[in-house]
């Protein structure tokens, strides 16, 4: 396994006054045990740290991790300040099998390093599944959840990359809670044999656009979309776009426009109603009163989900 | 052709729900998907029929579409 630098360039601690924890002692153990486990001064593991690592006059030290640890922080007088199990180096190489040490552990986070810009720290949060089955393939049991380190959507790009972790891809248990459980995303999970794939509105958080669609006005037909479950034809120039995953409240920001094919008089696209689950759109002729059908309507919405 | 749900409003006008195929879950049957999508977009208490989209009238007369449950959509032109 590859080593990884701790979250900040240097491991740094402060005392209760906010001053550097000079002489602080970082003890490192195998996760969940009192068996000492080495940390390193460099990425190549050429030089082990002492155990404990004694923090310098700036309250910091070079600490590289390899795998899972229990880390215990004590001050210079050996008073324990904190002790945390399950701290991970956070990197699994492409093609690697997830470490068996994670199996059976609750509150574990497996971070995989994606080579795709913007998704470098995709995390598998196994905290809701105390007994994930790990082996040649990764199996996430019921109520597992996939999220990234910022709690954001796990993108199709992530899933595509994650499928390369194991030879067989994912096997998802029943009631798998997918942050991005819309078809576009989950179709990238190769080998998925999920018993059930459910979305969680609370967890659904796509980056940037939370929903968009382009559709023909006459006849009504979706052209392309994201997070849209259906489009209701309410009449000439009146449409309702129904979101697949609702927004958290009505204060999100929908923007609508339209394209009137061959028209020389223009058209006005207006939003007449917003609910957490839908947006109602009116298209008017340039007079602003006559509802008309147009060739293409486009809507995009961003907000909390 | 695809399934649509015709909503019958109390004033005789109709709405038509067009499911978006991309919203179908990986593990969902078509029936489960349509049930979910239609249910989400159907106002409570509204009567409806699920039909094939090929049964819809020509939309050039959309303003004249009227209907009631069990009888489908008719074009009620003056």
């Amino acid at each position: 396994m590859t080593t990884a630098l701790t979250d900040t360039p240097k491991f740094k601690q402060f005392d209760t006054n906010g001053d550097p924890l000079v002489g602080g002692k970082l003890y490192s153990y195998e996760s969940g045990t009192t068996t000492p486990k080495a940390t390193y001064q460099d990425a190549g593991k050429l030089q082990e740290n002492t155990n404990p690592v004694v923090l310098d006059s700036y309250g910091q030290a070079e600490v590289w991790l390899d795998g899972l640890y229990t880390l215990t922080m004590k001050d210079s007088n050996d008073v324990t300040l904190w002790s945390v199990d399950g701290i991970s180096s956070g990197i699994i190489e492409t093609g690697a099998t997830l470490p068996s040490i994670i199996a059976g552990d609750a509150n574990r986070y497996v971070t995989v390093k994606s080579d795709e810009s913007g998704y470098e720290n995709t995390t598998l949060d196994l905290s809701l599944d105390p007994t994930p089955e790990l082996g040649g393939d990764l199996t996430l049991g019921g109520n597992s959840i996939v999220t990234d380190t910022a709690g954001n959507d796990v993108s199709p790009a992530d899933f595509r990359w994650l499928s390369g972790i194991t030879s067989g891809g994912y096997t998802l248990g029943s009631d798998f809670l997918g942050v991005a459980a819309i078809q576009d995303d989950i179709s990238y999970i190769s080998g998925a044999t999920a018993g059930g794939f459910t979305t969680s509105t609370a967890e659904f958080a796509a980056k940037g656009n939370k929903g968009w669609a382009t559709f023909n006005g006459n006849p009504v037909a979706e052209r392309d979309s994201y997070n849209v479950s259906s489009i209701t034809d309410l009449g000439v120039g009146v449409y309702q776009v129904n979101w697949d995953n609702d927004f958290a409240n009505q204060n999100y920001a929908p923007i609508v426009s339209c394209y009137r094919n061959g028209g020389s008089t223009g058209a006005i696209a207006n939003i007449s109603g917003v609910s957490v689950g839908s947006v109602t759109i009116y298209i008017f002729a340039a007079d602003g009163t006559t509802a008309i059908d147009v060739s293409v309507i486009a809507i995009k919405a961003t907000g909390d989900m | 052709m695809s399934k649509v749900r015709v909503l019958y409003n109390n004033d005789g006008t109709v709405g038509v729900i067009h499911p978006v195929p991309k919203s179908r879950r990986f593990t969902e049957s078509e029936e489960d998907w349509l049930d979910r999508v239609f249910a989400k977009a159907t106002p409570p208490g509204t009567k409806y029929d699920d039909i094939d989209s090929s049964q819809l009238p020509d939309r050039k007369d959309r303003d004249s579409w009227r209907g009631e449950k069990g009888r489908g959509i008719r074009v009620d032109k003056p």
Side-chain angles (χ1 to χ4, degrees), chain B residues 10-76:
Chain B
N10 290 333
D11 62 1
T13 59
V14 298
V16 181
I17 302 171
H18 296 262
V20 170
K22 288 178 70 174
S23 66
R24 184 174 169 182
R25 309 279 193 255
F26 186 67
T27 57
E28 259 180 338
S29 67
E30 181 176 9
E31 184 180 3
D32 289 344
W33 164 60
L34 289 174
D35 285 347
R36 177 176 59 81
V37 169
F38 283 149
K40 188 172 193 299
T42 303
T46 303
K47 294 178 179 177
Y48 61 84
D49 283 320
D50 296 338
I51 65 172
D52 194 282
S53 61
S54 63
Q55 296 177 259
L56 293 173
D58 190 328
R59 201 170 181 284
K60 68 181 175 59
D61 299 315
R62 181 63 179 86
D63 270 346
S64 301
W65 287 9
R66 298 291 184 272
E68 56 186 303
K69 182 171 174 54
R71 295 189 175 184
I73 300 175
R74 69 180 187 279
V75 178
D76 193 10

Side-chain angles (χ1 to χ4, degrees), chain A residues 268-291:
Chain A
I268 301 168
N270 182 52
I271 292 171
S272 69
V274 175
S275 71
V276 295
S278 66
V279 172
T280 304
I281 300 167
Y282 271 80
I283 308 295
F284 294 110
D287 63 11
T289 58
T290 306

Side-chain angles (χ1 to χ4, degrees), chain A residues 62-83:
Chain A
E62 194 90 47
V63 181
W64 291 75
L65 306 177
D66 182 6
L68 285 171
Y69 290 82
T70 291
L71 295 180
T72 300
M73 193 72 233
K74 298 184 179 183
D75 66 16
S76 58
N77 297 316
D78 289 323
V79 175
T80 299
L81 303 177
W82 52 259
S83 184

Side-chain angles (χ1 to χ4, degrees), chain A residues 112-268:
Chain A
V112 294
K113 186 177 182 182
S114 169
D115 56 358
E116 298 211 29
S117 177
Y119 305 108
E120 291 87 349
N121 293 302
T122 301
T123 299
L124 294 178
D125 177 352
L126 306 179
S127 61
L128 298 181
D129 180 13
T131 57
E133 300 168 19
L134 301 175
D137 295 343
L138 170 60
T139 300
L140 297 178
N143 299 321
S144 293
I145 185 170
V146 176
T147 183
D148 70 9
T149 50
N152 292 321
D153 173 31
V154 177
S155 75
D158 294 323
F159 279 135
R160 187 166 58 247
W161 187 88
L162 289 172
S163 67
I165 291 178
T166 65
S167 58
Y170 280 98
T171 300
L172 304 176
S174 61
D175 299 326
F176 182 90
L177 186 63
V179 175
I182 60 175
Q183 182 159 356
D184 265 7
D185 295 333
I186 63 174
S187 64
Y188 284 97
I189 303 176
S190 63
T193 56
F197 213 119
T198 59
T199 53
S200 164
T201 300
E203 297 294 342
F204 181 86
K207 295 178 176 68
N209 298 326
K210 303 300 179 66
W212 60 264
T214 57
F215 59 97
N216 298 335
N218 185 15
V220 176
E222 179 238 11
R223 297 164 67 95
D224 202 355
S225 65
Y226 180 73
N227 189 31
V228 173
S229 63
S230 64
I231 299 164
T232 305
D233 168 13
L234 294 171
V236 173
V238 191
Y239 315 94
Q240 179 173 294
V241 173
N242 303 300
W243 305 118
D244 198 359
N245 289 273
D246 289 353
F247 283 81
N249 54 57
Q250 295 181 22
N251 299 323
Y252 62 95
I255 300 170
V256 64
S257 64
C258 64
Y259 170 59
R260 191 176 186 185
N261 190 21
S264 59
T265 55
I268 301 168

